[in-house]
Amino acid sequence: MSAEIISTDTPERFKQAVRRAADLLRAGEVVALPTETVYGLAANALSPEAVAKIFQIKGRPAHNPIIVHVASWELARKCAAAWPDSATRLGRAFWPGPLTLVLPRAAIIPENVTAGGGTVGIRWPSHPFMQAVIRECGFPLAAPSANRSNEISPTNADHVKLSLAGRLPLIVDGGQSAVGIESTVVDLSEGAASVLRPGMIHTESLSAALGERVGEGAGAGELRSPGLLAKHYSPKAKLKVLSWGNNEDLLDQVKSKGMDPNETVVIAHTCLPAPELWLSVNVIPHDAEAYARALYAEWHRCDEDGARWIVMEAVPDLAEWRGIADRLRRAAAD
Ligand code: TXA
Ligand code: MG
């Protein structure tokens, strides 16, 4: 199977793509669709057979649950067995957008979506194409990131094509993902709200919207959200996060780690080393939102260029950088 890739860059093409994607989804197929965080590998969330194909295409372990995407309050509530006030408050503040709420699972959600667990992750994405397809289908869409398991999430249609083109019938090109890293996952299924996966909606914003402190579920989260295993979201090259004062300082650090500068890509936002000694020096914006938007494309490019090592300049220790710092930490984990 070789994926058809269709664009959405005129109103007419957009409409055709919505119809084509919805037809395939109704027929129980899996298609790659754009969202504002990363591209998703979507199937009818109410069909266990369709969802099983997602696991197969991704090579995803069966113990990792999949987020369900909706485009209305009504559909969101149908997916959950209980709807606490906290879900209404956070949904009102951040939906549609890059926030996933973990709630008790409704009986209509098949077991393979939740990996056999009693909770379901629900997200109302803001990308107009994803919203249009969900409305056209009338059912929620289960969608993990559209990459093979353990690869970097795709933030454009080319990334999806490189990873999955031979494995699915359709990739819809909806442009560059505007957020660029995966949604913030918040557990509301029992007691106090806690963040299972940090993202661009940070804990301070969540706490402000909720009117109470939202926890950062380090210990519990590791076990309760299998996607939070330490090694995840990593490029093929070995990655180090470093801070340096100048060129020589960086060179010393890199050599002391046994890395060859000639095979190393440096991705920096503030302190740019002279380019001659490195495989390349890539500049990434020094603004958390623009940085997140660019990050995975930088890593995809390192993979394509055959980099052996990647040096990431450390990022500020501030709320709006926490989701990014989390991805850097996981990519650097052994
Ligand atoms: O931004 C996103 O969330 C993207 C787009 C496509 O929506 N999706 C995404 O899906 O990143 P995925 O499958 O690559 O990551 C979903 C994460 C995993 O870490 C998974 O373990 C966690 O969410 N998750 C899903 N359902 C859960 C649940 N019921 N309880 C705890 N964690 C859950
Ligand atoms: Mg993923």
Side-chain angles (χ1 to χ4, degrees):
M1 190 186 322
S2 172
E4 179 188 359
I5 302 176
I6 50 183
S7 75
T8 55
D9 54 1
T10 67
E12 202 37 56
R13 289 204 188 111
F14 185 100
K15 267 189 242 154
Q16 279 169 4
V18 169
R19 258 179 264 131
R20 177 96 182 97
D23 284 346
L24 285 164
L25 288 163
R26 279 191 214 101
E29 295 297 331
V30 173
V31 299
L33 305 177
T35 92
E36 74 279 19
T37 55
V38 301
Y39 275 62
L41 192 59
N44 178 353
L46 305 183
S47 160
E49 295 78 21
V51 170
K53 291 184 189 167
I54 296 179
F55 283 92
Q56 194 195 347
I57 291 171
K58 265 188 81 97
R60 186 182 181 95
H63 61 74
N64 197 356
I66 299 180
I67 295 170
V68 167
H69 297 72
V70 300
S72 68
W73 288 102
E74 197 194 346
L75 200 52
R77 281 169 176 265
K78 271 193 197 156
C79 297
W83 195 266
D85 283 348
S86 53
T88 302
R89 255 180 266 151
L90 291 181
R92 272 201 193 132
F94 302 109
W95 277 355
L99 177 68
T100 297
L101 300 178
V102 172
L103 291 160
R105 150 186 172 244
I108 57 162
I109 302 296
E111 286 213 345
N112 58 355
V113 170
T114 68
T119 64
V120 58
I122 304 173
R123 180 163 105 79
W124 181 342
S126 67
H127 197 292
F129 189 84
M130 190 70 171
Q131 292 192 0
V133 173
I134 297 167
R135 293 216 175 91
E136 176 77 18
C137 289
F139 47 74
L141 296 180
S145 52
N147 51 279
R148 301 265 296 148
S149 219
N150 294 322
E151 288 180 358
I152 313 157
S153 293
T155 51
N156 62 43
D158 279 341
H159 297 159
V160 181
K161 189 175 141 196
L162 283 171
S163 180
L164 296 174
R167 299 173 162 258
L168 77 180
L170 177 68
I171 299 172
V172 175
D173 185 346
Q176 190 69 34
S177 293
V179 175
I181 66 171
E182 303 82 354
S183 62
T184 305
V185 179
V186 178
D187 187 5
L188 298 178
S189 66
E190 48 182 56
S194 74
V195 174
L196 299 180
R197 178 175 70 184
M200 293 310 282
I201 296 177
H202 53 72
T203 312
E204 279 77 348
S205 302
L206 293 165
S207 301
L210 200 55
E212 62 186 52
R213 242 193 75 73
V214 172
E216 297 189 47
E222 293 288 341
L223 297 176
R224 299 191 43 204
S225 196
L228 296 181
L229 297 174
K231 186 70 182 171
H232 205 68
Y233 314 111
S234 54
K236 296 191 180 87
K238 278 223 167 276
L239 184 147
K240 301 273 178 212
V241 181
L242 301 175
S243 304
W244 56 89
N246 55 38
N247 236 352
E248 290 70 51
D249 178 13
L250 178 58
L251 268 180
D252 287 346
Q253 293 189 49
V254 161
K255 285 182 182 154
S256 77
K257 293 183 192 317
M259 297 155 63
D260 178 354
N262 280 309
E263 293 178 294
T264 304
V265 173
V266 181
I267 301 179
H269 50 79
T270 300
C271 197
L272 307 180
E276 302 82 44
L277 300 168
W278 309 93
L279 179 57
S280 69
V281 173
N282 301 349
V283 185
I284 190 162
H286 184 70
D287 152 341
E289 288 188 5
Y291 185 111
R293 203 173 298 137
L295 179 62
Y296 289 169
E298 288 291 342
W299 286 351
H300 279 284
R301 190 135 47 90
C302 289
D303 281 354
E304 284 159 38
D305 292 350
R308 237 178 116 193
W309 288 284
I310 300 172
V311 170
M312 301 297 300
E313 185 178 4
V315 299
D317 183 21
L318 295 170
E320 64 265 36
W321 288 89
R322 299 262 149 78
I324 293 165
D326 169 81
R327 302 309 187 272
L328 299 187
R329 201 164 38 243
R330 288 176 203 289
D334 288 320

